[in-house]
Amino acid sequence: MKVEYAGGFLSLEGEMTARELLDRLGLDFEDHLVIKDGSLVPLEEKIEDSSNIIILKAVVGG
């Protein structure tokens, strides 16, 4: 899968859940959103190897 995060790109192999992807990258699931092919992905949804992924850092403010 192709992963875009923090202005860079990674290429990862294998199917995994969104949670597993964030864990593999050392990112906290409470602070990041996983977008697959333009749609928000639930943490337990499987991401296929052929997917295009964007990881966004969630920003909270008030």
Side-chain angles (χ1 to χ4, degrees):
M1 75 185 69
K2 293 181 182 177
V3 181
E4 179 180 349
Y5 174 67
F9 292 89
L10 301 169
S11 182
L12 300 174
E13 292 186 25
E15 185 176 283
M16 62 188 81
T17 66
R19 184 184 302 268
E20 290 169 337
L21 172 61
L22 292 174
D23 285 343
R24 184 169 176 179
L25 297 175
L27 302 174
D28 188 348
F29 71 89
E30 293 179 351
D31 296 331
H32 295 85
L33 302 173
V34 178
I35 310 295
K36 178 179 85 170
D37 301 324
S39 297
L40 183 63
V41 178
L43 290 174
E44 301 309 322
E45 183 175 316
K46 288 281 187 184
I47 300 172
E48 300 81 18
D49 197 36
S50 62
S51 298
N52 291 312
I53 303 297
I54 299 172
I55 298 176
L56 301 174
K57 177 131 174 85
V59 177
V60 179

